[in-house]
Every structure is written in C-alpha cells, then in structure tokens.
Amino acid sequence: CFFGGAPGRAADCTPDGGRAGREANQSQRRVSKSCVATTTLYSIEPQSFTLRYGMRESREFPVVFEGNIQTEKGFLVSSDIQISPSHVTVYASDSILNSIEEVKTAYTEIKNGKKSITRVVGLQPIEGTNFETNNVSVTIPIEEYTEKALSIPVEVTGVPANYKIRTFPQIVEVSCNIPISRFKELTEDMFAVEVPYAQLEENVSGTIEVQVTKKPDWVRYCHTTPTKIEFLLEQNTSFK
C-alpha cells in the first residue's frame, strides 16, 4: 500500500480497504526537497494524519432526463427524449453502487419550445462516486401537432358463445392529437375501442363507457364521440 509516493502503514492495507497513514517527518523531508535552499521549514501541522480508503468497483447505469419542458401552444414533445450516451459507467464502492438505480441529468428547463432541441448537459453528482463522463447530449424532439379523427368499430371482448351483443352505435369517432409529420401514417387499424363483457354483466343502466385500448405511443389525448354507448344482450338460440 502506498500513500503520497511513500510506504504507509502496510499492516492496515488490505484489498478490501483500510487506512493509510503518514507521519510529519515523512512529509517534512518531501516538502523540503521542493523548497529553495534558503527556505527553512520549522514544522508541519498536523503531525500525522490517516486516510481511509476502499477498493472501487465499476458498473453501468441508465441516464434519465431530469427537467421540465414547456412547449408553445400547438406544439408537443413528439417522441422519447434521446440521451447519448444512454448509460454511463460509475466508479464507487460496492455498497454505494448497490444503492444506485439511475443517474440523472442536471435539471434542465425548456420554455416555449417549438422545435427539436439538442443540448449538452451535466450529470447530477452522487456522493462517493466518479463518472466515466460528466456530460451527455440530450435531444428533445418537439413538433407541431394537429387533430385527426378516425371511425373505429366497438368490440366487446370475452363474450360467451351462447350470447351475442348489439351496440348502439357500432362505430365511434376517435379524435386525437398527432404530429403533423405523421398525419398520413395514422390509420384505423392502429386503434382498438373495447368494452369487456364482464362490465356489461354488472351494468343495469343499458349504457356503458367505451375505452381506447390500443393506439400508437406517439398519439396524444385520445377521446371518443360518443363517450358512452347503449348495448343489448341477446341469447344465441342457435348455440348448442
């Protein structure tokens, strides 16, 4: 075990960690060699000191964006925020590494965003650690949004074979906000509007809310017209 270029208390040094010490006379000789010949060094305080040390491990952790993004009216974050590198190597003791789940970027605030933004931001420090890199590149995709409406059939799921369900209406209109660049890409088969049969059994009013159960991740703020439908439960007399 070495400390400051000179042997420390070897008996206290182990691969699992320990202490390294230095006496004042060791430091005094080393400092004297760095001074000009006319300098007189009388004393060094403190007379001795001990440094605790431990072996460091390394592990990769995901980097997570920390901040607040505000866009101008009619604009939204259109997809996932991209961070490069997406993971960083952290050096620390095993006990500290076990307590870490992720590394956060420095808090970043975007106001009145109306186009995609790329910034180099720092990482929030974690006591007792070092990072392989202290900065990452963050890209926030911001696009202008518009509304699109599609006609989607209502499906009742889990219907027993001896029953059939009639819904009124059979088709609802789904309106949602999407990036202008993907307007033509959005089609009816990307959506599903469903009602579980189990909810119909418990319903005595004859009307029930419909839910959009499938949509692309980049579609925002979906709502249906109407929000509720009527239904009729009929027994299938042809079933044997």
Side-chain angles (χ1 to χ4, degrees):
C1 175
F2 293 89
F3 179 72
R9 295 173 180 165
D12 292 333
C13 296
T14 67
D16 296 325
R19 299 179 179 182
R22 193 177 187 90
E23 301 298 331
N25 57 355
Q26 293 176 310
S27 299
Q28 190 165 345
R29 288 194 299 269
R30 192 175 184 87
V31 173
S32 295
K33 290 180 182 180
S34 303
C35 298
V36 296
T38 55
T39 301
T40 302
L41 183 62
Y42 291 101
S43 66
I44 293 179
E45 294 293 338
Q47 291 296 306
S48 64
F49 56 88
T50 301
L51 178 69
R52 292 182 180 273
Y53 75 92
M55 300 298 290
R56 288 199 157 196
E57 306 289 340
S58 65
R59 203 175 300 170
E60 269 197 346
F61 292 96
V63 182
V64 177
F65 176 77
E66 179 87 349
N68 180 43
I69 304 169
Q70 297 178 2
T71 59
E72 286 197 1
K73 186 177 180 180
F75 292 81
L76 290 170
V77 177
S78 58
S79 59
D80 292 338
I81 295 173
Q82 301 298 314
I83 300 176
S84 180
S86 60
H87 290 69
V88 295
T89 301
V90 180
Y91 299 91
S93 66
D94 193 58
S95 61
I96 292 178
L97 291 176
N98 288 336
S99 69
I100 300 173
E101 294 182 355
E102 60 191 22
V103 176
K104 295 179 179 180
T105 66
Y107 189 86
T108 304
E109 190 168 14
I110 305 296
K111 294 183 177 180
N112 303 320
K114 58 181 181 180
K115 64 179 181 180
S116 296
I117 297 169
T118 298
R119 286 187 182 178
V120 175
V121 299
L123 300 175
Q124 294 185 25
I126 301 174
E127 188 174 356
T129 70
N130 292 104
F131 300 143
E132 183 180 31
T133 180
N134 291 315
N135 299 289
V136 293
S137 175
V138 176
T139 299
I140 303 168
I142 297 175
E143 277 193 65
E144 188 175 359
Y145 268 60
T146 188
E147 186 173 85
K148 186 170 185 176
L150 301 166
S151 296
I152 309 297
V154 178
E155 181 181 356
V156 181
T157 59
V159 180
N162 59 328
Y163 283 96
K164 58 182 179 181
I165 309 294
R166 298 184 187 275
T167 63
F168 308 95
Q170 295 179 332
I171 294 175
V172 296
E173 185 178 88
V174 175
S175 300
C176 51
N177 289 334
I178 60 171
I180 286 181
S181 63
R182 307 187 86 158
F183 187 87
K184 293 182 179 179
E185 179 182 341
L186 192 68
T187 56
E188 285 82 358
D189 60 329
M190 295 179 176
F191 290 84
V193 175
E194 297 178 337
V195 177
Y197 172 77
Q199 291 184 11
L200 300 185
E201 279 191 307
E202 301 168 358
N203 188 290
V204 294
S205 67
T207 63
I208 194 166
E209 286 190 7
V210 293
Q211 297 177 349
V212 178
T213 57
K214 173 187 160 187
K215 68 177 182 63
D217 293 339
W218 41 270
V219 168
R220 304 289 180 88
Y221 310 128
C222 275
H223 65 274
T224 65
T225 304
T227 58
K228 292 183 178 182
I229 61 169
E230 296 180 346
F231 66 92
L232 182 62
L233 179 62
E234 297 179 342
Q235 190 166 10
N236 190 353
T237 56
S238 64
F239 177 79
K240 295 182 180 179

